[in-house]
Amino acid sequence: MSGVKVQGFGGTAPKVFARMLPTEMAQVAINTRLDTGRLEGWKNNLSASISTVASYYVTANTKTLFKKTIGSADFWFGSNEEVDYVLSPIAEDPWNRLYYTGSGTYPKMTASAIWQSGNAYRLGIPAPAAFTTVPALNPTTSANVATEEPKSVSYIYTYVSQYGEEGPPISALTANILDKRTDQSVDITFPTVVAPNSVISHKRLYRTDAAGTYRRVAEVGGATYNDTKADSSLGEAINSTTHIAPPDDNATDHVSGPMLGLTSLPNGILAGFSGKTICFSEAFLPHAFPTANKLTVRSDIVGLAPMTNGVLVLTKEKPAMISGLDPRSMSMSEIDSSHSCVSKNSIVDMGMFVLYASPDGLVRATEQGLELITESLFTRDQWQALVPSTIKAFQYEGQYVAFYSNGSESKGFIFDPRGGKNAYVKLDFHATAGFNDLEEDTLYLVVGGSLVKFASSSTSLAYTWRSKKFYSEKPVNMGAAKVDREGSGSVTFKLFADGALKHTQTVANSDMFRLPSGYKSTEFEFEVVSAVPINSICLYETAGEIVSG
């Protein structure tokens, strides 16, 4: 070994023994951006300012950021809870509704007219209270008893919100069946509306026709209604019989708790989960989650990931794939894989695939199967040292930008799923929340309680890059070095021999510089700390070798 020259710098592979790394790969790579082939730092984060709804302030406790755009106006939502927001699946929604789970104790919906005041309503429309006064014939006795056979009719009703959302009806009871003749009307008295945290605008009354089908009679705003309609004047048949609300804070009905993990799927479907149950809304009816649209997996669900033809269900044990475009006919198959998911916040849609954190590393999921994509980078123990259950990640320029807290440090890393020598580098900062704004092509992060745009400054982060361990069978003395660098900043160069620091030098230009003599070693490594780009680094026994090289 007379010397080394490193160019085309790469990232790290903690699993690989330091001597066995390729020449261009590193033991340590912090804040390094490597896609140009040279060694340089990621751009600094740029301080940003946004106006959040409901006077919310971004702090170190912020866990969720979300942006909704209406025309040219941006509306930012923030929360100190882990909240999942989805846009309305209804095109040109006149109320600009937003749906979310994880805030408080039940799923919610808000709209542009109310969100600035911090208001939101319970997602879903409850079933009304049963009639407390039985519908009554008027008059009670018909004058046509001798000439006309009575017709049996039954009544039910539903609640309708100011957004046109209709919930399930009351139960049809035999007590509400009347034998009615044509000279009689029916007086209906409605109970007081009971719908906490909902915005019910009116009631919708239905009556059976000659075939026994419940058809719309009227929209009722008051407490009473007198029904004089003939069957020929009845409206459409009821279609909201199964339109129940998603699981909420009613512990009696929902022992696994409220629906969480709300996500948007193709065909206007929303999906969430409660315990081991996946819940699908009716298409373009985001308030309705029929029981028939639910599927159950074997283990508690951690999170959901939309796929091209369905949804990937990630659990504490084996994942499952649910396929279909109609919420009433979804099919589910369990994936024969041990790659459980340990963090809902680690699940990231990368476009053609999904990445998530398992106990053994990052997993790439496609509709064709699962792959432990970081198997060549980490042992299980090395991965566990990051405490993957704490990972919160985002997609940025095709890369997986993640943050973790392992008790001793709160930092980040960038994983490039395209693999190769640049696959993994670390970041020396931590973010508690973020939002990938695809329209702006900007990743917003909350770092140290402040909002920033990731890698958007004109200046670069200081980076650290430590080479592999170079080994020589014969003990040698490295006598000269050269750092081919650019820019006006300095480079701190450190040389290590047999694990001990031998020399530190501030490198101000690309000239060769001498290294200390008086020792020989079989193992060498070097480290550079800087914010300026480096094209190559040479380390040789003699200055002449650098010149000739």
Side-chain angles (χ1 to χ4, degrees):
M1 175 184 180
S2 60
V4 295
K5 182 176 182 179
V6 179
Q7 56 187 2
F9 298 87
T12 66
K15 182 177 182 178
V16 181
F17 181 56
R19 281 190 191 178
M20 304 305 295
L21 288 166
T23 299
E24 66 273 12
M25 289 192 69
Q27 296 181 72
V28 176
I30 302 173
N31 297 340
T32 52
R33 182 162 191 168
L34 306 167
D35 50 359
T36 64
R38 65 181 182 176
L39 184 57
E40 57 187 326
W42 278 91
K43 293 297 184 182
N44 264 302
N45 298 323
L46 181 65
S47 180
S49 177
I50 57 173
S51 178
T52 52
V53 303
S55 300
Y56 177 82
Y57 293 99
V58 172
T59 70
N61 295 319
T62 299
K63 295 181 179 179
T64 305
L65 276 181
F66 185 83
K67 188 184 86 168
K68 177 175 174 59
T69 300
I70 303 175
S72 60
D74 294 335
F75 297 89
W76 284 91
F77 297 80
S79 177
N80 293 357
E81 299 174 283
E82 299 288 359
V83 180
D84 292 295
Y85 292 96
V86 300
L87 301 175
S88 172
I90 300 169
E92 299 181 358
D93 183 348
W95 297 285
N96 298 305
R97 284 169 289 183
L98 192 65
Y99 301 86
Y100 55 103
T101 57
S103 175
T105 57
Y106 51 83
K108 297 177 181 177
M109 180 275 295
T110 188
S112 57
I114 61 173
W115 64 41
Q116 288 290 5
S117 59
N119 290 335
Y121 297 116
R122 186 181 292 265
L123 178 56
I125 307 301
F131 290 122
T132 52
T133 301
V134 175
L137 294 171
N138 184 8
T140 55
T141 302
S142 170
N144 300 337
V145 171
T147 60
E148 181 184 349
E149 287 296 324
K151 183 183 69 174
S152 294
V153 295
S154 173
Y155 290 87
I156 58 175
Y157 76 102
T158 63
Y159 284 156
V160 181
S161 78
Q162 72 178 42
Y163 304 104
E165 304 157 321
E166 184 178 14
I170 63 170
S171 298
L173 303 176
T174 55
N176 297 332
I177 299 176
L178 303 172
D179 290 331
K180 173 183 172 297
R181 292 177 171 84
T182 55
D183 65 338
Q184 293 174 301
S185 64
V186 178
D187 290 328
I188 308 292
T189 300
F190 296 92
T192 301
V193 172
V194 180
N197 305 113
S198 297
V199 54
I200 305 304
S201 65
H202 63 277
K203 299 165 284 285
R204 186 167 289 162
L205 181 65
Y206 294 88
R207 189 187 82 206
T208 52
D209 61 12
T213 300
Y214 283 98
R215 295 191 175 277
R216 184 164 60 122
V217 176
E219 311 290 318
V220 182
T224 61
Y225 181 80
N226 178 249
D227 177 22
T228 61
K229 284 192 175 180
D231 274 6
S232 59
S233 298
L234 295 178
E236 72 280 357
I238 186 171
N239 61 9
S240 68
T241 303
T242 62
H243 291 181
I244 63 174
D248 57 15
D249 53 349
N250 185 327
T252 301
D253 293 339
H254 309 294
V255 295
S256 296
M259 184 175 74
L260 300 171
L262 192 64
T263 190
S264 183
L265 304 178
N267 279 18
I269 302 167
L270 300 189
F273 64 88
S274 173
K276 301 176 182 179
T277 301
I278 307 100
C279 312
F280 295 98
S281 77
E282 288 284 53
F284 302 104
L285 295 175
H287 67 283
F289 286 78
T291 299
N293 291 7
K294 296 178 180 179
L295 294 171
T296 302
V297 294
R298 292 200 299 176
S299 178
D300 286 340
I301 299 168
V302 177
L304 306 177
M307 306 295 279
T308 302
N309 296 310
V311 61
L312 177 66
V313 184
L314 298 169
T315 77
K316 293 182 178 180
E317 295 181 5
K318 290 185 176 183
M321 183 69 75
I322 298 178
S323 301
L325 299 176
D326 182 345
R328 303 181 188 184
S329 58
M330 295 287 195
S331 61
M332 182 175 68
S333 59
E334 186 177 78
I335 299 173
D336 188 15
S337 169
S338 60
H339 297 318
S340 61
C341 180
V342 296
S343 169
K344 180 175 75 69
N345 290 323
S346 74
I347 304 169
V348 177
D349 182 355
M350 300 296 292
M352 299 299 292
F353 55 91
V354 169
L355 289 180
Y356 69 90
S358 78
D360 301 309
L362 287 179
V363 176
R364 174 164 55 189
T366 67
E367 293 185 345
Q368 287 69 49
L370 306 181
E371 174 192 4
L372 186 63
I373 195 172
T374 56
E375 187 173 17
S376 64
L377 298 178
F378 296 96
T379 65
R380 188 183 190 281
D381 289 343
Q382 288 169 335
W383 178 251
Q384 283 293 317
L386 299 179
V387 188
S389 61
T390 67
I391 288 177
K392 176 174 285 190
F394 311 91
Q395 187 273 139
Y396 178 76
E397 301 289 351
Q399 301 185 76
Y400 185 87
V401 181
F403 302 93
Y404 65 91
S405 296
N406 64 8
S408 61
E409 65 175 14
S410 294
K411 301 293 184 181
F413 66 84
I414 298 176
F415 174 73
D416 189 336
R418 291 167 290 193
K421 61 185 179 63
N422 302 336
Y424 178 74
V425 299
K426 297 190 74 172
L427 297 171
D428 70 352
F429 62 90
H430 180 264
T432 61
F435 178 77
N436 185 14
D437 190 332
L438 297 178
E439 184 177 2
E440 287 187 15
D441 195 23
T442 299
L443 175 58
Y444 287 87
L445 297 173
V446 177
V447 178
S450 299
L451 185 71
V452 299
K453 295 180 180 181
F454 175 66
S456 296
S457 173
S458 59
T459 61
S460 296
L461 288 167
Y463 62 82
T464 301
W465 194 91
R466 180 179 284 203
S467 73
K468 66 167 286 182
K469 290 184 178 181
F470 296 98
Y471 177 74
S472 172
E473 292 185 0
K474 180 185 72 173
V476 296
N477 173 254
M478 291 299 177
K482 178 181 177 181
V483 178
D484 180 6
R485 34 79 39 88
E486 298 181 12
S488 58
S490 64
V491 176
T492 300
F493 174 91
K494 295 181 180 181
L495 175 66
F496 299 84
D498 292 338
L501 177 63
K502 292 295 185 181
H503 182 65
T504 300
Q505 176 144 344
T506 299
V507 181
N509 52 49
S510 296
D511 295 342
M512 180 193 69
F513 54 91
R514 299 285 184 179
L515 298 174
S517 59
Y519 71 94
K520 288 187 176 182
S521 300
T522 58
E523 191 175 76
F524 294 88
E525 56 195 293
F526 62 84
E527 179 180 285
V528 286
V529 178
S530 184
V532 301
I534 293 175
N535 298 316
S536 65
I537 300 173
C538 299
L539 195 66
Y540 286 96
E541 291 185 70
T542 66
E545 290 175 288
I546 290 181
V547 173
S548 62

